[in-house]
Amino acid sequence: MSKEVERLQELIDRYDNIVFFGGAGVSTESGIPDFRSQDGLYNQKYDFPPETILSHTFFMNRPDEFYRFYQDKMLCDTAKPNAAHLKLAQLEEAGKLKAVITQNIDNLHQMAGSKKVLELHGSVHRNYCMKCHQFYDFAYMKNASGVPRCTCGGIIKPDVVLYEEGLDNDVISESIRAIAGAQVLIIGGTSLVVYPAAGLIDYFQGEHLVVINKSPTPRDRYADLMIKEPIGQVFSQITVKGA
């Protein structure tokens, strides 16, 4: 165990109001590609860049092309929680972790057992008809051919925040409260370049800021502890007392 991971263990043992703020890097070890890594979606070849495809305008104007990409690249039904997801759930169960705030839409934190998960960008596991608001699950969307439609004829839209769309105000407010009240904030697996989500870190007033990310982030200079290793690898070394 490195000195950095030993220090993280010390902080986890000492404090019982910890909040975790995570991004795509948390799920890459589960086999879900992120957007900006060398193997991420930005470096794969499509007729349009992913940022364009995953925009509100594109969804409304070209739903057929949107769903070809979405079903192929965004609906991963083989991914399982990794050591980071599982250990965070154990920390919550032990009363240490008060909230997981995630930019991911993959439901892996919930699959691992986390209860308090604030999804800034929504979830692929929730889908609603734009006409009558009927709910549809992940399996329906994964198995649909072409543009998924409701029994009423309306187009079904994923409950995910597309580019050009605003975040949910209730989720934002709850995330701010959690971050503002935390003693320790652990930022993991995110480059912190996507706003407004990344701006939530400004509300942290606690004692220790931890950044676990393989590449540099804008918050590194404010961190008390920086670990530049894969986050699942880091959390696999952490022991949760009582777990």
Side-chain angles (χ1 to χ4, degrees), residues 123-224:
S123 172
V124 295
H125 287 257
R126 296 188 301 270
N127 307 274
Y128 299 94
C129 172
M130 296 176 71
K131 191 173 176 181
C132 74
H133 307 295
Q134 170 73 30
F135 171 84
Y136 288 88
D137 64 11
F138 179 96
Y140 184 91
M141 302 298 281
K142 182 71 174 177
N143 296 319
S145 58
V147 177
R149 290 193 177 271
C150 177
T151 52
C152 78
I155 292 177
I156 303 168
K157 183 179 184 295
D159 186 19
V160 299
V161 179
L162 301 176
Y163 291 102
E164 304 167 345
E165 295 179 343
L167 304 189
D168 182 280
N169 287 330
D170 291 338
V171 175
I172 288 288
S173 297
E174 207 168 343
S175 299
I176 289 171
R177 281 195 297 272
I179 290 172
Q183 296 168 306
V184 177
L185 178 62
I186 301 174
I187 299 171
T190 173
S191 53
L192 292 175
V193 298
V194 176
Y195 280 80
L200 296 176
I201 308 303
D202 292 336
Y203 291 93
F204 179 61
Q205 305 169 38
E207 299 184 40
H208 297 284
L209 178 65
V210 178
V211 176
I212 307 171
N213 202 53
K214 291 192 289 184
S215 58
T217 82
R219 301 288 171 162
D220 289 358
R221 56 184 172 151
Y222 303 109
D224 302 292

Side-chain angles (χ1 to χ4, degrees), residues 22-203:
V26 180
S27 295
T28 52
E29 288 168 87
S30 294
I32 295 179
D34 69 7
F35 276 80
R36 293 172 178 81
S37 71
Q38 188 171 350
D39 299 318
L41 294 178
Y42 275 22
N43 291 289
Q44 298 180 21
K45 302 300 181 186
Y46 297 96
D47 291 339
F48 299 90
E51 198 165 49
T52 299
I53 297 172
L54 297 174
S55 68
H56 179 82
T57 299
F58 196 92
F59 173 81
M60 296 302 291
N61 293 339
R62 299 171 179 257
D64 52 340
E65 293 184 59
F66 172 90
Y67 272 113
R68 270 200 297 273
F69 176 88
Y70 181 80
Q71 288 177 311
D72 185 34
K73 293 297 177 186
M74 308 302 288
L75 297 181
C76 180
D77 55 2
T78 58
K80 304 294 182 192
N82 62 49
H85 299 105
L86 296 168
K87 205 59 63 95
L88 288 166
Q90 290 178 18
L91 287 169
E92 181 185 36
E93 179 70 22
K96 292 281 187 181
L97 187 77
K98 301 307 179 188
V100 167
I101 302 168
T102 180
Q103 299 171 82
N104 297 337
I105 58 176
D106 51 39
N107 205 49
L108 290 178
H109 285 293
Q110 291 91 330
M111 289 170 63
S114 290
K115 304 288 192 295
K116 183 71 169 183
V117 182
L118 300 171
E119 297 172 312
L120 295 173
H121 296 153
S123 172
V124 295
H125 287 257
R126 296 188 301 270
N127 307 274
Y128 299 94
C129 172
M130 296 176 71
K131 191 173 176 181
C132 74
H133 307 295
Q134 170 73 30
F135 171 84
Y136 288 88
D137 64 11
F138 179 96
Y140 184 91
M141 302 298 281
K142 182 71 174 177
N143 296 319
S145 58
V147 177
R149 290 193 177 271
C150 177
T151 52
C152 78
I155 292 177
I156 303 168
K157 183 179 184 295
D159 186 19
V160 299
V161 179
L162 301 176
Y163 291 102
E164 304 167 345
E165 295 179 343
L167 304 189
D168 182 280
N169 287 330
D170 291 338
V171 175
I172 288 288
S173 297
E174 207 168 343
S175 299
I176 289 171
R177 281 195 297 272
I179 290 172
Q183 296 168 306
V184 177
L185 178 62
I186 301 174
I187 299 171
T190 173
S191 53
L192 292 175
V193 298
V194 176
Y195 280 80
L200 296 176
I201 308 303
D202 292 336
Y203 291 93

